[in-house]
Amino acid sequence: MKKWITNGKNTVHQVLSGRSNAFLISKGNTHVLVDTGRTSSWKKLNQKLDSLTDGNGLKAIVLTHTHFDHVENAASLKAKYHAKIIVQRSEAEHLMKGNTPLPQGTNLLTKYLVNSLEMLKWGGKNLVSRYNYRSVDPDIEVDETFCLNEFGIDACIIHTAGHSPGSLSVVVDGEVALAGDTVFGVFRGSVFPPFADDVDVLIESWDTLLKTGSKIFLPGHGVEKSRKELQNGYNKYKNLKKD
């Protein structure tokens, strides 16, 4: 299991990888989970959380956004651990309904995929229902920032929209940023995601992340990205933004 330890002795454990990443931030006997993965990973997630938290101590669950592949286990985890669910305010209603609109594609292939799924939805097909998930009520709705100190963790949540309107990132000790899908970690040499509702806003969020001083960026998919990689991505795309 990969882990990162900050100078402030906060530990970030990667508890899920593959289809979607999930991370547990720990300090002493206090723990906060960032994203929950898909229901297919429920057994693995439970085993790792029980091992790392001794079956208790999970205080909160931060959802970087409410797309199905990041939240499918949220309702079950809340029921088991009685942890507080934290989400950005603009996406709270999606979470309560168990359905979030699919993001827009950022290249020809992903634009085609999204358009095809939208056509299926309007045609009354059931395929799109696979992207629904078990609804859950959030406990804390974040606007622009929210600090996790009250949960015993030295980290702050910041609003980093672009992939979705309510995308969040969690910055631990100003060193490690858990960036959800604001940073994409699948393609070598790139941080640009295949899906984003607003690319211009996404690029601004990269700048926001860089200004935190973080050196390591942990994405919702793929492997960690360095500050240099994110800076290169920002430099490449910032001048391509629409006026």
Side-chain angles (χ1 to χ4, degrees):
M1 184 189 312
K2 289 186 178 180
K3 67 179 181 180
W4 298 260
I5 302 175
T6 68
N7 288 327
K9 305 303 181 184
N10 294 271
T11 302
V12 179
H13 304 268
Q14 184 166 359
V15 291
L16 286 181
S17 60
R19 180 65 181 85
S20 295
N21 296 333
F23 301 94
L24 186 72
I25 310 170
S26 303
K27 188 169 187 180
N29 295 321
T30 302
H31 312 275
V32 171
L33 181 67
V34 180
D35 286 341
T36 74
R38 301 211 59 183
T39 52
S40 58
S41 64
W42 171 252
K43 182 177 180 180
K44 179 188 295 185
L45 180 62
N46 261 273
Q47 289 174 340
K48 290 187 176 180
L49 290 180
D50 285 344
S51 173
L52 291 168
T53 69
D54 291 326
N56 57 51
L58 184 63
K59 301 298 184 182
I61 300 167
V62 180
L63 301 175
T64 61
H65 57 297
T66 59
H67 291 155
F68 69 99
D69 50 341
H70 296 261
V71 304
E72 281 189 346
N73 291 313
S76 297
L77 287 171
K78 181 177 181 178
K80 177 177 179 178
Y81 290 99
H82 307 291
K84 302 289 187 183
I85 299 286
I86 304 174
V87 69
Q88 210 280 330
R89 190 176 302 279
S90 66
E91 298 194 19
E93 186 175 355
H94 296 313
L95 191 65
M96 290 186 282
K97 290 181 177 179
N99 183 283
T100 303
L102 295 175
Q104 297 301 305
T106 59
N107 58 55
L108 289 176
L109 176 59
T110 55
K111 287 178 181 178
Y112 172 78
L113 289 173
V114 171
N115 289 336
S116 298
L117 287 169
E118 288 297 324
M119 290 295 292
L120 285 171
K121 182 168 67 176
W122 286 110
K125 303 294 184 181
N126 291 324
L127 180 61
V128 179
S129 65
R130 67 183 291 188
Y131 302 116
N132 297 341
Y133 50 86
R134 183 181 167 192
S135 62
V136 61
D137 290 342
D139 299 286
I140 298 172
E141 297 179 18
V142 174
D143 289 311
E144 292 304 309
T145 61
F146 181 85
C147 286
L148 294 169
N149 302 83
E150 66 179 83
F151 296 105
I153 299 293
D154 302 317
C156 282
I157 299 169
I158 58 175
H159 187 195
T160 50
H163 174 71
S164 69
S167 287
L168 298 173
S169 296
V170 183
V171 180
V172 186
D173 264 340
E175 299 175 30
V176 180
L178 285 62
D181 287 359
T182 301
V183 173
F184 200 65
V186 173
F187 305 126
R188 180 175 295 181
S190 174
V191 296
F192 192 71
F195 299 94
D197 283 331
D198 192 320
V199 171
D200 287 353
V201 173
L202 176 79
I203 295 166
E204 292 173 5
S205 291
W206 288 350
D207 186 39
T208 298
L209 284 169
L210 288 167
K211 287 176 178 175
T212 67
S214 298
K215 298 179 180 179
I216 296 172
F217 300 88
L218 303 180
H221 305 279
V223 299
E224 70 176 271
K225 292 293 184 177
S226 67
R227 182 177 182 84
K228 181 179 179 180
E229 288 174 297
L230 183 57
Q231 185 71 63
N232 288 344
Y234 176 69
N235 292 342
K236 176 180 179 180
Y237 287 98
K238 68 178 180 179
N239 294 324
L240 298 179
K241 293 194 300 179
K242 299 175 185 175
D243 295 329

